[in-house]
Amino acid sequence: MIASEARAAEFACSPKRDLTFVRGSLATLWDEAGKEYIDCGASVGVGNLGHCNPAVAEAIAAQAHQLIHVGPSFGTAAKAGFVEKLLSVAPPNLKRVFLSNSGSESVEAAIKFARASTGRPKIVAAMRGFHGRTMGALSATWRREFREPFEPLVPGFVHVPFNDIDALDKAVDFDTAAVLLEAVQGEGGVHVATREYLEAARAICDQRDAALIIDEVQTGMGRTGRLFAIERWGVDPDILTLAKSLAGGVPIGATLTTEAVEKAFQGSHTSTFGGNSLACAAGTAAIEYTVREKLPERAERLGNEAIETLRGLDSRAVREVRGLGLMIGIELRGKAGPVLQALQDEGILAVGGGSSVIRLLPPLVIPEEQWFQAIDAIGRALHHG
Ligand SMILES: Cc1ncc(COP(=O)(O)O)c(C=O)c1O
């Protein structure tokens, strides 16, 4: 058994769940007592390819015997291969990649690139948006509880209601470096951007020479039924942020930009572990697997079937079911916490999104039987809720 003192020694700065895992395979996790769980949270969207995906594991093992890390100013075969692979699947207007280690870091870079390429200070973000916990990313994040203990935050950030074109139009001016939006707000409770909103955001940024940053840290790499959620709407951002599932579970962050953003950038930025060879080898294997196994299409199909089932539940506990692909939010009339705990007791792991939303982000490789078993269990829990 893993010593409880060791868990207690983890600095208590966010809620801990009372589980310790020792093994994982695709959508299954095993705790230290050997109990099996169906993982419908996938580390909040990291595990698109499942736990210990063999293609990713083999790529990491092979790379570990060749080269693990050299500083970001050097080239490596692993980094070149990954950058080439990523750009081959990314929106075609994006031609430059900055590599880092997490979602927050990819957002920090996006904010710095936007400011230092426009020479302007202001960033317009959305209410209910989430972009990370480092000081810049946190300044773009909406929730008061996350922000207040750390104020003063970085100046120059304003928040407008999501999916409200007029409010965005009023907020973006000639001091604005960038508009920063999620295509689907994840932590904020799974709210999907409308086509009109994203198209208007693009047009407003063009009119005022501001950059459009789309944060696909959670939606990226197939989760919403497209490799990138914005493909559905055909809106090209100037800057795109990625992380979470990009390297099959190995820490990574990527900030993609147009050539124009790079050309106008006046400043410097780097990250010691950015472009780490293990992460890059894992990332190349992850993208190849995602494309080869048509995981976005699978996410779309399994997601649509589950959303239809959940919408048909006719449960008084449920206010609304929202989602795209395998990114699903079930908004409850009451608190999500007790339902999440009841599901955990039954061996189903899901995550919250705000206080009243149950969020489902299963691996895109989840076997159908396990997925519908989980959806049935959720249905039962909500009938009793
Ligand atoms: C949309 C979005 N951006 C940024 C982040 C921050 O990522 P990280 O926790 O890797 O720093 C998250 C994390 O949940 C996210 O969902």
Side-chain angles (χ1 to χ4, degrees):
M1 290 291 246
I2 289 152
S4 57
E5 301 88 72
R7 277 227 83 194
E10 290 174 35
F11 193 101
C13 51
S14 66
K16 292 181 194 174
R17 289 176 79 165
D18 185 22
L19 282 174
T20 299
F21 293 112
V22 292
R23 192 158 69 88
S25 174
L26 299 182
T28 308
L29 280 169
W30 286 267
D31 73 9
E32 53 188 342
K35 183 173 168 183
E36 211 171 291
Y37 293 82
I38 302 177
D39 186 4
C40 292
S43 320
V44 197
V46 170
N48 286 12
L49 272 61
H51 297 282
C52 303
N53 184 294
V56 175
E58 276 161 30
I60 296 169
Q63 185 63 45
H65 289 288
Q66 211 170 338
L67 182 68
I68 293 181
H69 189 68
V70 292
S73 52
F74 296 104
T76 65
K79 183 162 64 174
F82 175 63
V83 166
E84 196 181 346
K85 182 64 66 184
L86 181 55
L87 289 180
S88 75
V89 296
N93 68 316
L94 301 176
K95 306 268 192 224
R96 295 289 180 265
V97 181
F98 171 77
L99 292 172
S100 57
N101 310 287
S102 69
S104 298
E105 244 196 289
S106 71
V107 172
E108 291 292 334
I111 293 166
K112 289 176 83 172
F113 293 169
R115 280 189 167 175
S117 64
T118 60
R120 300 174 179 182
K122 185 168 160 184
I123 307 287
V124 179
M127 292 176 182
R128 280 198 308 243
F130 184 90
H131 300 285
R133 310 282 199 140
T134 51
M135 292 303 264
L138 183 61
S139 304
T141 289
W142 166 246
R143 251 169 89 178
R144 206 167 35 135
E145 311 89 274
F146 295 164
R147 299 165 55 90
E148 261 181 8
F150 308 104
E151 288 175 345
L153 297 180
V154 178
F157 286 74
V158 299
H159 291 86
V160 291
F162 190 58
N163 274 338
D164 181 335
I165 295 173
D166 281 347
L168 191 64
D169 194 27
K170 286 199 185 87
V172 180
D173 54 23
F174 287 94
D175 272 340
T176 304
V179 170
L180 167 54
L181 299 170
E182 292 159 273
V184 181
Q185 293 185 316
E187 298 295 313
V190 189
H191 295 274
V192 183
T194 64
R195 171 184 293 278
E196 297 72 34
Y197 186 61
L198 290 180
E199 283 176 354
R202 179 66 276 174
I204 290 166
C205 286
D206 285 344
Q207 282 160 14
R208 283 150 233 183
D209 285 330
L212 177 61
I213 306 172
I214 301 290
D215 181 348
E216 293 237 28
V217 164
Q218 195 166 136
T219 51
M221 310 323 291
R223 173 145 306 278
T224 68
R226 301 286 187 278
L227 200 55
F228 305 98
I230 38 159
E231 281 174 28
R232 198 179 283 272
W233 299 285
V235 169
D236 291 330
D238 302 293
I239 305 179
L240 179 77
T241 58
L242 298 170
K244 289 208 189 266
S245 69
L246 185 56
V250 177
I252 193 165
T255 310
L256 279 60
T257 80
T258 60
E259 281 173 293
V261 169
E262 184 202 52
K263 206 159 165 234
F265 177 70
Q266 302 280 326
S268 71
H269 184 61
T270 186
S271 177
T272 296
F273 280 113
N276 171 269
S277 293
L278 289 185
C280 286
T284 302
I287 295 173
E288 283 172 354
Y289 187 95
T290 304
V291 172
R292 190 173 64 241
E293 299 299 323
K294 298 188 170 49
L295 294 187
E297 290 90 328
R298 192 166 194 276
E300 174 105 335
R301 182 171 60 78
L302 293 185
N304 283 345
E305 286 178 39
I307 289 172
E308 204 182 306
T309 305
L310 292 166
R311 283 190 177 146
L313 272 181
D314 192 25
S315 159
R316 279 183 40 77
V318 179
R319 194 185 292 278
E320 193 180 25
V321 177
R322 301 183 285 267
L324 267 188
L326 285 174
M327 182 168 184
I328 300 174
I330 308 166
E331 183 166 341
L332 306 181
R333 291 184 198 283
K335 297 266 180 227
V339 182
L340 289 171
Q341 185 58 50
L343 288 171
Q344 180 172 313
D345 295 343
E346 270 215 55
I348 313 283
L349 298 176
V351 287
S355 61
S356 61
V357 174
I358 296 174
R359 206 165 14 140
L360 305 177
L361 303 161
L364 313 186
V365 294
I366 188 169
E368 287 194 29
E369 199 189 326
Q370 271 187 323
W371 176 232
F372 292 111
Q373 190 184 329
I375 296 296
D376 283 350
I378 291 164
R380 283 195 304 278
L382 292 175
H383 268 303
H384 299 143

